[in-house]
Amino acid sequence: MGTITTPDGIDIFFKDWGSGQPIVFSHGWPLSSDDWDAQMLFFLQHGYRVIAHDRRGHGRSAQTGDGHDMDHYADDLAAVTAHLDLHDAVHVGHSTGGGEVAHYIARHGESRVAKAVLISAVPPLMVQTDANPGGLPKSAFDDMQAQLAANRPEFYRALPSGPFYGFNRPGVEPSEAIIANWWRQGMMGGAKAHYDGIVAFSQTDFTEDLKKITVPVLVMHGDDDQIVPYADSGPLSAKLVQNGTLNTYPGFPHGMPTTQAETINADLLAFLQS
């Protein structure tokens, strides 16, 4: 574990375990690198070097008041990969982290990148526009910002208790420990970073980024994702990249790397070894 300081003076916390081909994990909003525990332990045990950082304003990284946009997120990821001098890396992004990965590869090139994986990821574009009629209305994201500003602890309890992990579905048994761990990670980060991050993940259009990616890309998405709806995300991203594969998971929720880790890890490993 360590920290680096970005060119604009922000301290970014990261974990770096093991040796072998590097896998770099980019977490979702409003969490931290801790959300990758199940993946980092699994791939460490399979001989990979595993790396994950806390996005600026999240987790143990600096709670800066600005820079909470995809350009800065991508540049921070580039700073981590350059600091560690990574080559032949596999970049895995969940949710907002998937946008970060796509923007990083398009913005900084593929010279250090072998493959990419987008899991329950926000690309190509979440918000509804004339060009993206299948997106969610902007009012949905405005409401998220309003709830965060009014009572962040309460909001961060409701999301994992319900739609994030599908614990609001009939017959699904909620895990109090998973809910509490989501809340813990969220509350470690900064309210300003999380407030601005809602705009970053919902309004950034990754269409042109995806078109630039030539390395193999695995797109993994559950068809019962209540956070990033399946039809307007996974299938579209897989078509936009030049070398994409779509894995669709019937009934899986947004937080499937945690609740369905065994399935996700096995499919990730198969993609890495292919």
Side-chain angles (χ1 to χ4, degrees):
M1 295 189 290
T3 59
I4 66 154
T5 302
T6 65
D8 63 338
I10 305 304
D11 290 336
I12 301 291
F13 170 92
F14 67 90
K15 308 174 187 182
D16 179 9
W17 304 341
S19 58
Q21 184 180 15
I23 309 174
V24 185
F25 295 95
S26 291
H27 65 78
W29 175 97
L31 304 173
S32 74
S33 56
D34 292 354
D35 204 44
W36 290 112
D37 284 353
Q39 284 68 45
M40 290 186 70
L41 287 171
F42 176 86
F43 286 100
L44 181 67
Q45 292 163 357
H46 281 79
Y48 291 89
R49 179 182 178 185
V50 293
I51 297 146
H53 69 292
D54 291 358
R55 189 170 297 120
R56 63 169 59 206
H58 296 62
R60 288 139 293 204
S61 291
Q63 289 199 16
T64 175
D66 54 17
H68 307 297
D69 55 73
M70 280 293 162
D71 285 352
H72 282 90
Y73 295 167
D75 293 350
D76 292 348
L77 177 54
V80 172
T81 60
H83 174 77
L84 298 175
D85 194 26
L86 302 181
H87 296 277
D88 197 34
V90 179
H91 282 268
V92 181
H94 176 245
S95 195
T96 299
E100 178 179 283
V101 166
H103 199 52
Y104 158 73
I105 295 174
R107 187 172 167 88
H108 292 275
E110 298 180 337
S111 63
R112 296 180 179 271
V113 181
K115 295 181 178 181
V117 183
L118 308 180
I119 305 177
S120 312
V122 298
L125 173 62
M126 282 200 73
V127 74
Q128 187 179 66
T129 64
D130 290 343
N132 185 44
L136 295 171
K138 182 176 178 291
S139 59
F141 304 107
D142 294 342
D143 183 59
M144 289 181 70
Q145 286 187 308
Q147 291 186 68
L148 186 153
N151 191 333
R152 191 164 66 122
E154 189 69 36
F155 182 44
Y156 284 7
R157 186 73 184 178
L159 266 177
S161 300
F164 197 93
Y165 295 112
F167 290 153
N168 56 345
R169 293 307 198 205
V172 178
E173 187 68 32
S175 165
E176 181 58 38
I178 288 174
I179 294 166
N181 190 45
W182 198 103
W183 188 90
R184 174 192 68 85
Q185 290 179 71
M187 294 306 296
M188 283 172 65
K192 181 62 161 61
H194 295 168
Y195 187 89
D196 292 353
I198 293 169
V199 173
F201 75 65
S202 66
Q203 296 186 30
T204 304
D205 189 341
F206 300 97
T207 301
E208 295 307 314
D209 291 337
L210 293 167
K211 290 178 181 177
K212 292 178 183 176
I213 300 174
T214 67
V215 297
V217 178
L218 176 63
V219 178
M220 313 172 81
H221 218 109
D223 70 2
D224 194 34
D225 191 324
Q226 300 173 68
I227 305 297
V228 182
Y230 171 83
D232 201 54
S233 50
L236 303 183
S237 291
K239 288 177 184 175
L240 284 166
V241 296
Q242 296 182 37
N243 186 6
T245 302
L246 174 65
N247 281 14
T248 302
Y249 298 90
F252 279 23
H254 186 66
M256 63 185 188
T258 297
T259 52
Q260 278 83 15
E262 186 175 347
T263 299
I264 299 305
N265 290 351
D267 288 356
L268 268 174
L269 182 63
F271 175 67
L272 265 62
Q273 293 176 340
S274 66

PDB file of all heavy atoms in Angstrom, residues 155-172:
ATOM      1  N   PHE A 155     -28.992   8.155   2.890  1.00  0.00           N
ATOM      2  CA  PHE A 155     -28.963   7.795   1.469  1.00  0.00           C
ATOM      3  C   PHE A 155     -28.036   6.610   1.234  1.00  0.00           C
ATOM      4  O   PHE A 155     -28.356   5.682   0.474  1.00  0.00           O
ATOM      5  CB  PHE A 155     -28.503   9.021   0.673  1.00  0.00           C
ATOM      6  CG  PHE A 155     -28.463   8.834  -0.813  1.00  0.00           C
ATOM      7  CD1 PHE A 155     -29.484   8.197  -1.500  1.00  0.00           C
ATOM      8  CD2 PHE A 155     -27.389   9.333  -1.543  1.00  0.00           C
ATOM      9  CE1 PHE A 155     -29.441   8.047  -2.881  1.00  0.00           C
ATOM     10  CE2 PHE A 155     -27.342   9.190  -2.925  1.00  0.00           C
ATOM     11  CZ  PHE A 155     -28.363   8.539  -3.591  1.00  0.00           C
ATOM     12  N   TYR A 156     -26.888   6.609   1.923  1.00  0.00           N
ATOM     13  CA  TYR A 156     -25.898   5.543   1.748  1.00  0.00           C
ATOM     14  C   TYR A 156     -26.289   4.254   2.478  1.00  0.00           C
ATOM     15  O   TYR A 156     -25.649   3.224   2.314  1.00  0.00           O
ATOM     16  CB  TYR A 156     -24.519   6.010   2.217  1.00  0.00           C
ATOM     17  CG  TYR A 156     -23.823   6.943   1.250  1.00  0.00           C
ATOM     18  CD1 TYR A 156     -24.471   7.427   0.116  1.00  0.00           C
ATOM     19  CD2 TYR A 156     -22.510   7.355   1.472  1.00  0.00           C
ATOM     20  CE1 TYR A 156     -23.830   8.287  -0.764  1.00  0.00           C
ATOM     21  CE2 TYR A 156     -21.867   8.208   0.598  1.00  0.00           C
ATOM     22  CZ  TYR A 156     -22.529   8.675  -0.517  1.00  0.00           C
ATOM     23  OH  TYR A 156     -21.888   9.523  -1.393  1.00  0.00           O
ATOM     24  N   ARG A 157     -27.321   4.333   3.269  1.00  0.00           N
ATOM     25  CA  ARG A 157     -27.897   3.116   3.858  1.00  0.00           C
ATOM     26  C   ARG A 157     -28.935   2.511   2.905  1.00  0.00           C
ATOM     27  O   ARG A 157     -29.021   1.290   2.734  1.00  0.00           O
ATOM     28  CB  ARG A 157     -28.554   3.455   5.203  1.00  0.00           C
ATOM     29  CG  ARG A 157     -29.068   2.261   5.978  1.00  0.00           C
ATOM     30  CD  ARG A 157     -27.939   1.470   6.580  1.00  0.00           C
ATOM     31  NE  ARG A 157     -28.463   0.273   7.240  1.00  0.00           N
ATOM     32  CZ  ARG A 157     -27.713  -0.638   7.826  1.00  0.00           C
ATOM     33  NH1 ARG A 157     -26.416  -0.492   7.853  1.00  0.00           N
ATOM     34  NH2 ARG A 157     -28.253  -1.684   8.392  1.00  0.00           N
ATOM     35  N   ALA A 158     -29.707   3.394   2.271  1.00  0.00           N
ATOM     36  CA  ALA A 158     -30.809   2.921   1.432  1.00  0.00           C
ATOM     37  C   ALA A 158     -30.332   2.256   0.141  1.00  0.00           C
ATOM     38  O   ALA A 158     -30.908   1.255  -0.294  1.00  0.00           O
ATOM     39  CB  ALA A 158     -31.726   4.101   1.091  1.00  0.00           C
ATOM     40  N   LEU A 159     -29.279   2.799  -0.479  1.00  0.00           N
ATOM     41  CA  LEU A 159     -28.831   2.262  -1.766  1.00  0.00           C
ATOM     42  C   LEU A 159     -28.385   0.801  -1.687  1.00  0.00           C
ATOM     43  O   LEU A 159     -28.865  -0.038  -2.459  1.00  0.00           O
ATOM     44  CB  LEU A 159     -27.705   3.129  -2.341  1.00  0.00           C
ATOM     45  CG  LEU A 159     -28.108   4.231  -3.315  1.00  0.00           C
ATOM     46  CD1 LEU A 159     -26.887   5.051  -3.726  1.00  0.00           C
ATOM     47  CD2 LEU A 159     -28.774   3.655  -4.558  1.00  0.00           C
ATOM     48  N   PRO A 160     -27.468   0.447  -0.769  1.00  0.00           N
ATOM     49  CA  PRO A 160     -27.065  -0.955  -0.710  1.00  0.00           C
ATOM     50  C   PRO A 160     -28.128  -1.868  -0.123  1.00  0.00           C
ATOM     51  O   PRO A 160     -28.144  -3.073  -0.431  1.00  0.00           O
ATOM     52  CB  PRO A 160     -25.811  -0.928   0.173  1.00  0.00           C
ATOM     53  CG  PRO A 160     -25.986   0.276   1.048  1.00  0.00           C
ATOM     54  CD  PRO A 160     -26.673   1.289   0.168  1.00  0.00           C
ATOM     55  N   SER A 161     -29.015  -1.318   0.693  1.00  0.00           N
ATOM     56  CA  SER A 161     -30.100  -2.135   1.267  1.00  0.00           C
ATOM     57  C   SER A 161     -31.109  -2.542   0.204  1.00  0.00           C
ATOM     58  O   SER A 161     -31.847  -3.517   0.380  1.00  0.00           O
ATOM     59  CB  SER A 161     -30.820  -1.362   2.374  1.00  0.00           C
ATOM     60  OG  SER A 161     -29.941  -1.021   3.414  1.00  0.00           O
ATOM     61  N   GLY A 162     -31.162  -1.762  -0.891  1.00  0.00           N
ATOM     62  CA  GLY A 162     -32.157  -2.004  -1.926  1.00  0.00           C
ATOM     63  C   GLY A 162     -31.574  -2.332  -3.278  1.00  0.00           C
ATOM     64  O   GLY A 162     -31.114  -3.434  -3.531  1.00  0.00           O
ATOM     65  N   PRO A 163     -31.549  -1.330  -4.199  1.00  0.00           N
ATOM     66  CA  PRO A 163     -31.282  -1.652  -5.604  1.00  0.00           C
ATOM     67  C   PRO A 163     -29.849  -2.048  -5.935  1.00  0.00           C
ATOM     68  O   PRO A 163     -29.639  -2.784  -6.902  1.00  0.00           O
ATOM     69  CB  PRO A 163     -31.662  -0.354  -6.336  1.00  0.00           C
ATOM     70  CG  PRO A 163     -31.558   0.725  -5.310  1.00  0.00           C
ATOM     71  CD  PRO A 163     -31.964   0.077  -4.013  1.00  0.00           C
ATOM     72  N   PHE A 164     -28.852  -1.587  -5.185  1.00  0.00           N
ATOM     73  CA  PHE A 164     -27.456  -1.822  -5.583  1.00  0.00           C
ATOM     74  C   PHE A 164     -27.135  -3.320  -5.689  1.00  0.00           C
ATOM     75  O   PHE A 164     -26.522  -3.772  -6.658  1.00  0.00           O
ATOM     76  CB  PHE A 164     -26.501  -1.135  -4.594  1.00  0.00           C
ATOM     77  CG  PHE A 164     -25.092  -0.980  -5.120  1.00  0.00           C
ATOM     78  CD1 PHE A 164     -24.715   0.188  -5.767  1.00  0.00           C
ATOM     79  CD2 PHE A 164     -24.142  -1.977  -4.956  1.00  0.00           C
ATOM     80  CE1 PHE A 164     -23.416   0.352  -6.263  1.00  0.00           C
ATOM     81  CE2 PHE A 164     -22.849  -1.818  -5.447  1.00  0.00           C
ATOM     82  CZ  PHE A 164     -22.483  -0.662  -6.093  1.00  0.00           C
ATOM     83  N   TYR A 165     -27.565  -4.073  -4.686  1.00  0.00           N
ATOM     84  CA  TYR A 165     -27.303  -5.518  -4.671  1.00  0.00           C
ATOM     85  C   TYR A 165     -28.547  -6.357  -4.967  1.00  0.00           C
ATOM     86  O   TYR A 165     -28.512  -7.575  -4.852  1.00  0.00           O
ATOM     87  CB  TYR A 165     -26.728  -5.936  -3.316  1.00  0.00           C
ATOM     88  CG  TYR A 165     -25.371  -5.347  -3.020  1.00  0.00           C
ATOM     89  CD1 TYR A 165     -25.204  -4.395  -2.013  1.00  0.00           C
ATOM     90  CD2 TYR A 165     -24.249  -5.742  -3.743  1.00  0.00           C
ATOM     91  CE1 TYR A 165     -23.957  -3.857  -1.731  1.00  0.00           C
ATOM     92  CE2 TYR A 165     -23.001  -5.203  -3.477  1.00  0.00           C
ATOM     93  CZ  TYR A 165     -22.850  -4.268  -2.470  1.00  0.00           C
ATOM     94  OH  TYR A 165     -21.613  -3.724  -2.191  1.00  0.00           O
ATOM     95  N   GLY A 166     -29.641  -5.691  -5.336  1.00  0.00           N
ATOM     96  CA  GLY A 166     -30.870  -6.424  -5.599  1.00  0.00           C
ATOM     97  C   GLY A 166     -31.516  -6.988  -4.343  1.00  0.00           C
ATOM     98  O   GLY A 166     -32.343  -7.901  -4.426  1.00  0.00           O
ATOM     99  N   PHE A 167     -31.169  -6.428  -3.181  1.00  0.00           N
ATOM    100  CA  PHE A 167     -31.746  -6.926  -1.925  1.00  0.00           C
ATOM    101  C   PHE A 167     -33.226  -6.553  -1.798  1.00  0.00           C
ATOM    102  O   PHE A 167     -33.904  -7.019  -0.878  1.00  0.00           O
ATOM    103  CB  PHE A 167     -30.967  -6.380  -0.723  1.00  0.00           C
ATOM    104  CG  PHE A 167     -29.577  -6.964  -0.576  1.00  0.00           C
ATOM    105  CD1 PHE A 167     -28.573  -6.248   0.054  1.00  0.00           C
ATOM    106  CD2 PHE A 167     -29.280  -8.238  -1.041  1.00  0.00           C
ATOM    107  CE1 PHE A 167     -27.292  -6.776   0.203  1.00  0.00           C
ATOM    108  CE2 PHE A 167     -28.013  -8.782  -0.901  1.00  0.00           C
ATOM    109  CZ  PHE A 167     -27.011  -8.045  -0.273  1.00  0.00           C
ATOM    110  N   ASN A 168     -33.728  -5.724  -2.714  1.00  0.00           N
ATOM    111  CA  ASN A 168     -35.150  -5.373  -2.729  1.00  0.00           C
ATOM    112  C   ASN A 168     -35.968  -6.331  -3.596  1.00  0.00           C
ATOM    113  O   ASN A 168     -37.183  -6.161  -3.736  1.00  0.00           O
ATOM    114  CB  ASN A 168     -35.338  -3.941  -3.233  1.00  0.00           C
ATOM    115  CG  ASN A 168     -34.716  -3.703  -4.608  1.00  0.00           C
ATOM    116  OD1 ASN A 168     -33.913  -4.501  -5.079  1.00  0.00           O
ATOM    117  ND2 ASN A 168     -35.072  -2.602  -5.248  1.00  0.00           N
ATOM    118  N   ARG A 169     -35.343  -7.343  -4.175  1.00  0.00           N
ATOM    119  CA  ARG A 169     -36.055  -8.299  -5.012  1.00  0.00           C
ATOM    120  C   ARG A 169     -36.675  -9.410  -4.166  1.00  0.00           C
ATOM    121  O   ARG A 169     -36.089  -9.824  -3.144  1.00  0.00           O
ATOM    122  CB  ARG A 169     -35.110  -8.911  -6.050  1.00  0.00           C
ATOM    123  CG  ARG A 169     -34.593  -7.924  -7.106  1.00  0.00           C
ATOM    124  CD  ARG A 169     -35.705  -7.180  -7.786  1.00  0.00           C
ATOM    125  NE  ARG A 169     -35.289  -6.573  -9.058  1.00  0.00           N
ATOM    126  CZ  ARG A 169     -35.867  -5.528  -9.607  1.00  0.00           C
ATOM    127  NH1 ARG A 169     -36.895  -4.947  -8.993  1.00  0.00           N
ATOM    128  NH2 ARG A 169     -35.457  -5.051 -10.777  1.00  0.00           N
ATOM    129  N   PRO A 170     -37.841  -9.910  -4.573  1.00  0.00           N
ATOM    130  CA  PRO A 170     -38.493 -10.989  -3.821  1.00  0.00           C
ATOM    131  C   PRO A 170     -37.582 -12.216  -3.712  1.00  0.00           C
ATOM    132  O   PRO A 170     -36.949 -12.624  -4.692  1.00  0.00           O
ATOM    133  CB  PRO A 170     -39.732 -11.317  -4.660  1.00  0.00           C
ATOM    134  CG  PRO A 170     -40.000 -10.082  -5.459  1.00  0.00           C
ATOM    135  CD  PRO A 170     -38.658  -9.472  -5.736  1.00  0.00           C
ATOM    136  N   GLY A 171     -37.497 -12.753  -2.504  1.00  0.00           N
ATOM    137  CA  GLY A 171     -36.733 -13.972  -2.282  1.00  0.00           C
ATOM    138  C   GLY A 171     -35.242 -13.782  -2.104  1.00  0.00           C
ATOM    139  O   GLY A 171     -34.521 -14.752  -1.865  1.00  0.00           O
ATOM    140  N   VAL A 172     -34.752 -12.541  -2.213  1.00  0.00           N
ATOM    141  CA  VAL A 172     -33.329 -12.273  -2.017  1.00  0.00           C
ATOM    142  C   VAL A 172     -33.090 -11.903  -0.553  1.00  0.00           C
ATOM    143  O   VAL A 172     -33.728 -10.991  -0.028  1.00  0.00           O
ATOM    144  CB  VAL A 172     -32.836 -11.141  -2.940  1.00  0.00           C
ATOM    145  CG1 VAL A 172     -31.364 -10.838  -2.678  1.00  0.00           C
ATOM    146  CG2 VAL A 172     -33.051 -11.513  -4.404  1.00  0.00           C
TER     147      VAL A 172
END
